[in-house]
Amino acid sequence: MIVIGGGLAGLAAGVALAESGWRVRLFEQRPFLGGRATSYVLPDGEHVDNCQHVTLGCCTNLDDFYRRIGASGKIKFFDRLLFLDPQGRKGEMQAGSLPAPFHLTGSFAAFAPLNLLDKLSIARAMLDILQTQGKPDDLDENGGISMLEWLRRRGQTKRAIERFWRVVLVSALDEELDRTDARFGVDVFWKAFLSNSAGYRMGVPAVPLANLYDGCKSEIERRGGEVVLRAPVRGLKIENGEFAGIRFDEGREESADAYVFAVPHTTLAELLPESLKQSDPSFANLDKIKVAPITGVHFWFDRPVMTEPFVTLLDTTTQWIFNKTALYADSNGAVQNPASGQYLQLVISASYDLLQKSRQEIIDLCLEEVRQALPVARNAELLKATVIKEAAATFSPEPGVNRYRPKQQTTIPRLFLAGDWTDTGWPATMEGAVRSGYLAAEALLHSEGAPRKFLQPDLAPDGFIAMWLGQHKPTTLA
């Protein structure tokens, strides 16, 4: 079988199908694997991620995928999330000794960037999420309401919206609150912060992103398949109105018993001829799924300016600062690059305002914010900087977008879809991408009469949540 696309969705489908005994041939147009969650080498030899990607404890399928390809040990997990406002006040999210859903109560109560009224309003909204198990009644109203509207209905203060809800959700979902379906926002807090005490833990790759996927290629090849890079698809071969193969450069054609297209929905819409689009109604809505941008800014300073592994900034354009020098340190604490400087990566999700700005304007803006947040940086020299704009980094989780997302199995024989934009139940995340790949593999195997499950269940509730839901296992006394 053939997989088109070497991003997380295609890799997850390819590895799963290879494990199931299929000979997988995976074609990727770029010279590296990983899609939008990858890294590449600058002319001066520096490895940079196109954007910093992270995982959370609640991302069970991404965790399973990393385990399958031998990359679990390349992820560092952190129990403490640090926030910093322009006034220098710090806030933390860190689980204490209380069980879920109260595990973050202590750090939340001491969260300095918010006042008492802010915290009380947040607590009321959280209680609503708890009482409905993440499914408040108004989520389906008018086909879906925005997260901002949902928060306003629950009397959230302006500061609570800007310094809590927006900070978490814009980073998680890559979209502003007024353009985000509330079901996705509520789901983030139910799964990551309330139902399980480990759901919020953040995992950050300790290697350049491209290094995570070495095991994918070897796993597919070990089972008799192949991974072909620099292989852009130039067209589809249609015979008698049916899908019959794929055309590559120099007139090369490839055919297979089944196909998984793991490409962006915009690319798929361009590839599919009208005859195929008309044969499956779900293809008619691809143009209704919009995209959202992410901008990554990379700074190299002549000296260390930051001690934390990462920090979230409040009330600034810059949302996250990642200390890549520290994150890339090996298990003995020795930094891979022995130079005395420091490499930071900044992330700005839903970065619409930056798309029209020049590289230098973005650097100047972010450098000012970094020096405001990190006093040591004010006396440090910026040795070099680069900016990476991903104008179509993710699909936009707009209210009602789920009705446009197609299933992984199409009505076209032998043609399956994968991608975070397909119907996964999750927004545009690495977890969603892996889920789509697993679902595509399951659909293909089911169609061949050899069903197999790859999709992992959500992180199980624990603490008082498990007891409340009747999932608590009583302790057996000896």
Side-chain angles (χ1 to χ4, degrees):
M1 61 87 53
I2 287 177
V3 176
I4 300 298
L8 276 170
L11 293 172
V15 169
L17 289 167
E19 287 185 9
S20 302
W22 284 71
R23 179 174 178 266
V24 174
R25 289 180 291 158
L26 187 148
F27 296 89
E28 164 58 42
Q29 68 173 349
R30 289 188 266 194
F32 44 76
L33 297 174
R36 291 163 290 159
T38 192
S39 55
Y40 50 88
V41 182
L42 295 177
D44 62 3
E46 291 280 2
H47 289 257
V48 296
D49 296 338
N50 60 345
C51 178
Q52 179 67 59
H53 285 69
V54 302
T55 183
L56 295 175
C58 61
C59 296
T60 54
N61 287 277
L62 183 58
D63 179 68
D64 177 77
F65 174 70
Y66 285 149
R67 178 187 58 78
R68 288 179 188 273
I69 64 173
S72 296
K74 299 177 181 179
I75 309 295
K76 290 183 179 179
F77 274 90
F78 298 88
D79 298 317
R80 174 176 171 265
L81 310 181
L82 178 65
F83 301 79
L84 182 65
D85 72 11
Q87 292 74 41
R89 292 174 296 202
K90 295 182 179 180
E92 294 183 0
M93 285 188 188
Q94 186 170 24
S97 58
L98 294 175
F102 308 113
H103 51 293
L104 297 171
T105 302
S107 59
F108 179 70
F111 199 90
L114 298 173
N115 63 31
L116 180 59
L117 289 178
D118 303 328
K119 294 172 185 176
L120 290 175
S121 73
I122 293 168
R124 287 195 302 270
M126 289 291 189
L127 182 60
D128 188 6
I129 296 174
L130 276 171
Q131 290 175 330
T132 61
Q133 299 177 37
K135 294 179 173 27
D137 292 338
D138 55 348
L139 291 184
D140 292 321
E141 189 175 308
N142 300 321
I145 63 172
S146 75
M147 191 65 197
L148 184 60
E149 172 63 20
W150 190 88
L151 293 171
R152 285 173 174 166
R153 291 181 182 185
R154 284 150 181 83
Q156 298 302 288
T157 66
K158 181 178 179 181
R159 193 194 307 259
I161 291 174
E162 289 297 320
R163 292 192 163 190
F164 182 76
W165 299 102
R166 181 180 181 275
V167 168
V168 173
L169 293 178
V170 171
S171 296
L173 303 176
D174 189 29
E175 191 54 280
E176 292 293 348
L177 299 182
D178 61 339
R179 292 195 289 257
T180 295
D181 194 314
R183 72 174 61 253
F184 294 127
V186 168
D187 221 29
V188 167
F189 281 93
W190 170 248
K191 292 178 178 177
F193 292 95
L194 293 173
S195 68
N196 187 293
S197 58
Y200 81 101
R201 296 180 68 237
M202 195 165 87
V204 186
V207 296
L209 285 173
N211 293 8
L212 293 176
Y213 312 120
D214 296 339
C216 298
K217 186 174 185 295
S218 60
E219 181 69 12
I220 290 172
E221 292 176 343
R222 184 174 69 86
R223 297 177 184 272
E226 62 178 327
V227 174
V228 184
L229 303 177
R230 296 183 176 89
V233 174
R234 297 306 184 190
L236 306 184
K237 183 179 180 181
I238 309 298
E239 291 181 350
N240 300 321
E242 293 187 0
F243 186 43
I246 299 170
R247 293 191 175 93
F248 297 92
D249 286 332
E250 300 177 351
R252 176 185 176 190
E253 293 184 358
E254 297 286 349
S255 60
D257 295 329
Y259 305 82
V260 175
F261 274 74
V263 297
H265 65 282
T266 51
T267 301
L268 182 67
E270 294 173 356
L271 281 174
L272 290 176
E274 285 302 320
S275 60
L276 288 187
K277 289 181 183 178
Q278 293 174 4
S279 65
D280 190 328
S282 64
F283 292 141
N285 295 317
L286 293 180
D287 61 345
K288 297 177 181 176
I289 304 176
K290 298 179 182 177
V291 296
I294 296 178
T295 299
V297 182
H298 303 257
F299 285 160
W300 287 265
F301 288 97
D302 67 340
R303 69 195 72 179
V305 299
M306 177 179 177
T307 56
E308 298 286 346
F310 50 81
V311 64
T312 305
L313 301 188
L314 307 178
D315 301 340
T316 55
T317 297
T318 302
Q319 295 157 359
W320 289 81
I321 305 175
F322 289 88
N323 182 348
K324 303 293 281 191
T325 300
L327 290 167
Y328 286 170
D330 66 25
S331 58
N332 297 320
V335 177
Q336 292 179 349
N337 181 358
S340 59
Q342 191 170 53
Y343 166 33
L344 306 181
Q345 181 174 358
L346 286 55
V347 179
I348 305 102
S349 298
S351 55
Y352 296 98
D353 292 343
L354 300 185
L355 290 179
Q356 302 306 316
K357 290 186 181 296
S358 69
R359 171 183 176 277
Q360 193 58 51
E361 285 178 309
I362 296 172
I363 290 172
D364 291 344
L365 170 64
C366 292
L367 181 59
E368 182 179 354
E369 293 180 344
V370 167
R371 286 177 168 159
Q372 171 65 27
L374 308 175
V376 178
R378 297 169 194 171
N379 296 319
E381 179 185 354
L382 181 65
L383 300 177
K384 60 182 177 180
T386 191
V387 175
I388 300 174
K389 297 180 185 178
E390 292 276 355
T394 68
F395 79 86
S396 174
E398 290 186 316
V401 72
N402 272 351
R403 63 181 177 267
Y404 304 133
R405 299 169 72 184
K407 298 291 186 182
Q408 287 74 32
Q409 183 163 9
T410 72
T411 59
I412 300 170
R414 306 186 298 153
L415 178 60
F416 301 84
L417 305 177
D420 58 9
W421 53 273
T422 62
D423 185 5
T424 66
W426 277 63
T429 59
M430 292 197 295
E431 169 74 7
V434 171
R435 287 173 69 95
S436 77
Y438 283 176
L439 288 168
E442 289 182 3
L444 191 159
L445 293 171
H446 185 269
S447 73
E448 294 292 323
R452 181 174 173 181
K453 292 291 292 182
F454 290 99
L455 193 69
Q456 303 299 306
D458 287 337
L459 191 65
D462 67 1
F464 287 133
I465 297 292
M467 296 174 62
W468 177 44
L469 297 177
Q471 299 176 11
H472 179 63
K473 295 181 181 179
T475 303
T476 301
L477 299 179

